[in-house]
Amino acid sequence: MGKKVLKYSLIFCILGLIAYNSVYFKKLSEVKASAAKVFNPAAYARAYLDKQLLPAAGKAPDADQLIAQLKNNPVKAFKADAHGLDIGNTRFFMVKGEGVIINVDESNVYLITPGKQTLKIATEYIFGNALRDAPGIITVNDFTNSMDLNNVSAEVNKLVRNEVLPPFKSKVKKGDSITFSGAFELNQEHINLGNIEIIPVKLAIK
Amino acid sequence: MNRIKIFLLLALLGFAGCKSRTDNHQKKMAIVVSTLNNPWFVFLAQTAAAQAKALGYESKIFDSQNNTAVEAEHFENAIASGYSAILFNPTDANGSVANVLKAKKAGVPVFCMDREVNSPDAATSQILSDSYSGCVDLGKYFVKSTHAKGNYVEILGIVADNNTWARSKGFHSVVDYYPGLKMVAQQSADFDRNKGMEVMESILQAHPDITAVFCGNDAMAMGAYQALSAAGKAKNVTVLGFDGAGDAIQGIKDGKIMATAMQFPKVMAQTAANYADAYFKGKRDFPKKIQVGVEMVTADNINDYIAYGKKD
């Protein structure tokens, strides 16, 4: 009789243990919070553009001064104003300025600055990491997955393509005076100032 | 009294022995790579071994043969054999996490090279190529050079590897904006040259009218070129690769390949070995992830590059 009680008690305990470990209860609010943690690159890009990128663009160096510095003392210019996430030669600069449009084609507008620099602003190929990396605010380790970091670039570029370019492209013409701010990349080992392509974040026709 | 002196002497020798065992130069590094069936990974592994040697450490290269089970055996052997760090090129972003965690549990730091594991804190540090950005550049170049028109094919690498998708997504983040460019087939060839050739042969039968093929690495690009050449279509189809391998660099010079993206395996391998050395010397605050820039190579700048890097 005693053995039976012990046997059934043991079986009951084992079954109880299995049942206890098979079923988990979680608060619905916790599950919802966990689902909400999934990274949303579009929302991140929106907040980044409004709260960080545009203020950084407002404080960017003037194009004429920056290019003069890059010509005269590139090492100092890269040290002072360039940022980049990667180990390597590609670095990004924020820049702002003004100028008169001298040409418009399907991919770019070309302008001449008060300092007589000819610059190219992209209006078609809005790709790459210039706007994400140039302010030096975002770091690789802010993201658990590299693809999240990559998607931020894609979404910021999408915002520029959808919001910044259409009103500008529909009106801009040769002879217009414009103001701009944006970012561009340079290879610090092979500096080619003749081929700077600015990815805009703000464009206005005066 | 003499016995006490002898005892003290032996004890001192014992401590000296312990010290020599913890000396940095008695430590050794295991280099575990996904495959040695691709010259790019051979270069990565050999560069890591050379850097370990230059730093004064013994090392051994383990070939995982693109198989996580083989990789798991290598990790077990490396841990059991007393390797003090693992310089690691994972086979599978998810499947390799368990192996890294096993090493972590055993107190062996793991430094990932080129390929990522999907865990924010399993590896001590991950030194990775910025594959996505390299393929954004390739995509842009592709759109410009094709005038955004034509049917193309994409040959993917190993589907379980994050680099495969980083490259694919980087390319598509540009190309998909242009509806005149139509992807008629997308298939994996596991980063393998022979499979690249077979996949291309098979796709050509269904889609003889393609104008371009984008491959996730140079080995597959060379395989695809071989298939196109055999079919008499090499002159009509543009081929893009990724890696900066020797035959692709020569292929660009010869006009066989339109462009590739140069990774810098030397930088990644040397950084991983240097990090392991720093770890042995007490450093612990490593960046969890560090990206190494990738540069596009075309006929316009081919003279600046050699296989696996830049000309000095």
Side-chain angles (χ1 to χ4, degrees), chain B residues 110-150:
Chain B
V110 177
F111 300 92
C112 290
M113 303 182 287
D114 175 51
R115 288 184 181 175
E116 188 176 18
V117 288
N118 286 338
S119 169
D121 46 24
T124 306
S125 186
Q126 306 202 60
I127 303 125
L128 313 167
S129 266
D130 192 354
S131 291
Y132 181 91
S133 303
C135 287
V136 168
D137 291 342
L138 283 175
K140 209 167 138 181
Y141 188 72
F142 177 65
V143 170
K144 284 180 179 176
S145 57
T146 55
H147 304 289
K149 277 181 193 159

Side-chain angles (χ1 to χ4, degrees), chain A residues 85-87 89 124-125 127-129 140-141 143-147 149-150 154 158 161 187 189-190 197, chain B residues 116 130 132-133 136 140 143-144 165-166 169 173-174 177-178 267 287-293 295 310:
Chain A
L85 299 188
D86 295 347
I87 297 177
N89 294 317
E124 173 60 33
Y125 296 104
F127 301 109
N129 301 326
V140 181
N141 294 296
F143 302 86
T144 51
N145 186 311
S146 301
M147 196 45 72
L149 174 71
N150 298 327
K158 197 188 280 180
R161 195 177 291 107
N187 186 311
E189 200 174 298
H190 301 285
E197 183 184 68
Chain B
E116 188 176 18
D130 192 354
Y132 181 91
S133 303
V136 168
K140 209 167 138 181
V143 170
K144 284 180 179 176
W165 298 110
K169 286 179 180 175
S173 76
V174 178
Y177 275 100
Y178 299 91
V267 174
K288 279 291 167 195
K289 221 174 269 183
I290 188 156
Q291 288 192 321
V292 177
E295 296 177 18
K310 274 198 162 168

